[in-house]
Amino acid sequence: MELAYDNTTTDSMNKPKAKVITVTSGKGGVGKSSTATNLALSLAALDKKVCVFDADASLANINILLGIQPAYTLQHLLKGEKNLNDIIIDGPRGLKVVPGATGIAEYAQLSIEQKLTLLTALDQLQQEFDYLIIDTAAGIGDDVLDFIKASQFSIIIITPEPTSLTDSFSLLKVLKRANYKRTPYILVNMALDLENSQAIYKRFESAVKKYVDVNIAYLGYVQVDESMISSVKLQCPTVLLSPDSNASLCFKKLATDLNENIADTSVDSFSEFWRQQDDIEEIIAESPLEKPTDAFINKDNTPDVIAPVPSATTPLNFKQAADFCIAQLSNGHLDETESNAFLDAITQFQPQQEPLSPETAQIPPDSPVRAFYQYLEQKSFPKEVMREVVATLEQAYFTKHADSLNSFDSTALKLFSQFNGSEEDLRHLNQQTVDCFQRHFKKPLYDITEHLQELTTSNDFSQAAFDELLDNLLSTYQDQFSSRYRTDADESLERAREDISVLQKQLSDINNELNSTHSLLNEKTHLLEQIQALLPSTKTS
């Protein structure tokens, strides 16, 4: 039996602040990393200090989704090469990312010095942030289980896909065997709407209570949205790329509800889990896991037990794994269903043949595709059925081939052909496009000078419109720089005023000089008159 973990013991002098939330899933391809990233950004939008642990070393999706590249990881910290501040990456909205956090899962193999370094770093992070979001690897590996057990809260992502439900079912079953006592939150991703998500959850909850007997809680849903696919391609999370999309609104509500629900919850120490691992002296090997009851697919030949994989101290190499699989097939340990599932899994890695051209591609008469077409026709193409089928097939295509079913051009054409909103809606869409271009290419979408030139030289641009544009530009210039815009005429007028000022100065000087000369002349005339008066007058005989 595995030791039950209790992480309520903390040092009162350094009481942790951050609530630790692990985001995980039973299988890959369900949007786990995308959910962790968008949820973290949505919590950051609530003025919360948020840090994300990228604990999926095999894929390292967080930095890819954010379009950033880490220079260092947790391993550099453990080796003493870098400190905590060196390895943390800055993201949008003040988000922080710790890359390579799966180093924590190797805690048992660390030296005493490395353990102290790691635990000190964890304590520091939990005291500095409001939330720590951990993006684990998919599946039921030991590292995934450790993160879930160490975290105060866990979110398990499920989708309408049957394999997602069965694999998450397996994860809950393993957690129960590990004596996990907390209540995991269930988030339904890629749901059509609220009603559809609740139907999926109730179906899942019913099977969990019946066959596993553990408590789970419905957290919410994320609506299937084309923007989620585009955000992966553009390396820009949906809540930033398309803030008003259905998926973004779902993340906003999830963050708000989650923050309100756990706001008053006392905080447990995240690092205490690994401290308690040193007290564990013996771990009893678990028996082979039972295969989860398939409550989501009706099959008659579902085996009760999965054949155990031989234990090994080191991972099997490719040849050993192949020999083991061939032996299982040849000795009859696998039934027909398991054999077919194995061969189907292998077949997907075979080189694909060129698809048949439309002229040669034919649907066989007994094909289930033709039967499905006939069903749709007989039912007069039911709206809800077709909607769910199309959404499911599109998501399955994306999961299988990691590509959008629609090209960029067709997506844009579909968007504009369906548009019937207001002028303001279209302006908003245009602004989102401009902002997205600026974020990714670090330059404006439009060259404003070139754009104005094209606009003003258009035949549809009248003189009155031109005058109005100039008035607005001049007014804006004055408001921005607190001065009038100087044209060539203004500069000529300024020079003319300067010339007039010089001439006026010269005229004043000349007038002053004339006045001075005139005064001197008057003085001389007056003096001459006085001299003549003193001279004896001469009389003529």
Side-chain angles (χ1 to χ4, degrees):
M1 177 182 294
E2 188 168 347
L3 180 66
Y5 165 58
D6 177 13
N7 61 354
T8 56
T9 303
T10 59
D11 184 352
S12 60
M13 295 298 293
N14 296 302
K15 188 173 182 179
K17 171 186 174 184
K19 295 177 175 63
V20 182
I21 303 174
T22 291
V23 180
T24 189
S25 61
K27 70 181 293 290
V30 299
K32 172 180 57 61
S33 296
S34 179
T35 297
T37 304
N38 284 285
L39 178 59
L41 288 169
S42 298
L43 286 169
L46 300 177
D47 293 328
K48 301 297 180 181
K49 296 181 65 177
V50 184
C51 179
V52 177
F53 271 31
D54 190 352
D56 190 351
S58 60
L59 296 178
N61 280 338
I62 297 296
N63 63 287
I64 295 175
L65 293 173
L66 291 171
I68 53 181
Q69 183 62 41
Y72 309 107
T73 68
L74 195 64
Q75 300 301 328
H76 293 89
L77 174 68
L78 297 178
K79 293 178 181 178
E81 298 173 359
K82 297 294 176 181
N83 59 38
L84 183 60
N85 291 332
D86 292 331
I87 69 171
I88 291 181
I89 308 172
D90 293 328
R93 293 184 178 175
L95 183 70
K96 304 293 183 181
V97 179
V98 177
T102 43
I104 304 177
E106 303 166 1
Y107 180 83
Q109 286 74 44
L110 301 180
S111 66
I112 297 298
E113 292 78 6
Q114 288 176 322
K115 288 182 179 181
L116 291 175
T117 299
L118 176 58
L119 296 176
T120 301
L122 292 178
D123 289 337
Q124 180 181 341
L125 287 172
Q126 201 171 4
Q127 291 167 21
E128 290 183 1
F129 292 93
D130 297 312
Y131 287 98
L132 295 182
I133 308 295
I134 301 175
D135 177 38
T136 73
I140 55 175
D142 290 340
D143 56 338
V144 175
L145 299 180
D146 281 348
F147 279 118
I148 295 175
K149 289 184 286 185
S151 303
Q152 189 173 3
F153 307 96
S154 62
I155 299 175
I156 299 177
I157 310 297
I158 64 173
T159 69
E161 254 190 274
T163 53
S164 165
L165 299 174
T166 54
D167 288 339
S168 296
F169 186 96
S170 298
L171 175 59
L172 289 171
K173 203 166 188 177
V174 173
L175 285 172
K176 183 180 181 181
R177 290 191 173 189
N179 204 22
Y180 182 69
K181 301 297 185 183
R182 300 186 188 275
T183 300
Y185 287 105
I186 305 299
L187 174 62
V188 183
N189 193 19
M190 307 174 192
L192 296 178
D193 48 35
L194 175 61
E195 183 179 358
N196 176 245
S197 73
Q198 291 178 338
I200 294 169
Y201 171 76
K202 289 178 181 177
R203 187 177 171 193
F204 181 71
E205 181 188 37
S206 176
V208 169
K209 286 185 176 180
K210 181 177 180 180
Y211 297 104
V212 186
D213 191 26
V214 298
N215 293 322
I216 58 176
Y218 176 77
L219 178 63
Y221 76 103
V222 176
Q223 191 168 347
V224 62
D225 196 323
E226 182 74 22
S227 66
M228 292 290 286
I229 301 175
S230 303
S231 68
V232 175
K233 289 184 177 181
L234 297 174
Q235 294 185 312
C236 179
T238 301
V239 296
L240 300 180
L241 177 66
S242 184
D244 295 325
S245 66
N246 290 331
S248 296
L249 296 178
C250 287
F251 282 118
K252 182 178 180 181
K253 186 177 188 309
L254 283 171
T256 302
D257 292 347
L258 188 65
N259 184 59
E260 290 177 353
N261 290 336
I262 66 177
D264 298 329
T265 306
S266 59
V267 178
D268 291 348
S269 171
F270 182 53
S271 63
E272 189 68 18
F273 171 80
W274 282 277
R275 287 189 172 92
Q276 291 191 19
Q277 297 308 296
D278 289 337
D279 297 332
I280 299 177
E281 299 178 354
E282 183 179 0
I283 299 178
I284 301 176
E286 294 184 356
S287 59
L289 294 178
E290 295 180 7
K291 185 173 181 180
T293 303
D294 199 336
F296 314 103
I297 307 177
N298 293 323
K299 295 182 180 179
D300 297 328
N301 298 323
T302 303
D304 293 331
V305 179
I306 297 178
V309 180
S311 60
T313 55
T314 58
L316 298 178
N317 60 33
F318 181 84
K319 185 177 184 305
Q320 291 172 330
D323 291 342
F324 172 76
C325 293
I326 292 173
Q328 293 292 309
L329 289 170
S330 60
N331 61 21
H333 286 174
L334 303 180
D335 62 18
E336 182 180 354
T337 302
E338 292 173 320
S339 300
N340 291 337
F342 172 78
L343 294 175
D344 289 341
I346 295 297
T347 304
Q348 66 177 308
F349 297 101
Q350 297 290 335
Q352 296 184 355
Q353 298 180 352
E354 290 294 326
L356 296 175
S357 63
E359 292 78 9
T360 59
Q362 298 291 331
I363 301 177
D366 57 348
S367 169
V369 175
R370 174 168 290 188
F372 177 66
Y373 289 165
Q374 291 175 349
Y375 165 79
L376 292 178
E377 182 179 1
Q378 292 171 0
K379 298 295 183 178
S380 300
F381 301 96
K383 178 180 178 181
E384 291 303 322
V385 173
M386 292 187 66
R387 178 186 176 192
E388 183 169 358
V389 168
V390 170
T392 303
L393 289 177
E394 184 171 359
Q395 182 55 45
Y397 182 90
F398 172 70
T399 303
K400 185 75 173 178
H401 302 290
D403 192 14
S404 173
L405 187 62
N406 301 312
S407 67
F408 180 82
D409 290 335
S410 65
T411 300
L413 182 61
K414 181 172 67 174
L415 173 65
F416 289 117
S417 66
Q418 295 178 348
F419 180 79
N420 58 359
S422 64
E423 178 181 345
E424 187 61 30
D425 291 337
L426 196 56
R427 288 183 184 277
H428 178 69
L429 177 62
N430 178 68
Q431 187 60 48
Q432 285 184 300
T433 304
V434 171
D435 293 343
C436 178
F437 187 94
Q438 175 74 42
R439 282 196 303 270
H440 287 285
F441 301 108
K442 310 303 180 186
K443 62 180 181 181
L445 177 60
Y446 301 112
D447 183 320
I448 186 64
T449 303
E450 183 178 312
H451 184 63
L452 280 176
Q453 187 173 4
E454 291 178 359
L455 178 65
T456 54
T457 55
S458 171
N459 293 332
D460 297 331
F461 201 75
S462 65
Q463 182 178 354
F466 207 140
D467 292 339
E468 183 180 358
L469 175 62
L470 285 178
D471 289 340
N472 290 334
L473 288 175
L474 292 174
S475 177
T476 302
Y477 183 95
Q478 185 166 354
D479 293 340
Q480 183 75 12
F481 304 107
S482 301
S483 63
R484 293 179 64 256
Y485 177 74
R486 293 175 60 84
T487 63
D488 291 341
D490 290 326
E491 294 180 358
S492 298
L493 180 60
E494 184 69 25
R495 288 195 296 270
R497 286 173 176 169
E498 292 176 356
D499 292 341
I500 291 173
S501 178
V502 171
L503 292 174
Q504 287 177 336
K505 179 67 168 59
Q506 292 176 349
L507 178 60
S508 176
D509 292 343
I510 293 173
N511 287 333
N512 291 336
E513 186 175 353
L514 286 175
N515 290 334
S516 177
T517 303
H518 184 267
S519 176
L520 181 61
L521 181 59
N522 286 338
E523 291 177 0
K524 290 182 177 180
T525 301
H526 180 65
L527 180 61
L528 182 59
E529 290 176 350
Q530 289 179 341
I531 293 173
Q532 287 178 346
L534 295 174
L535 292 177
S537 59
T538 57
K539 296 182 179 180
T540 58
S541 50

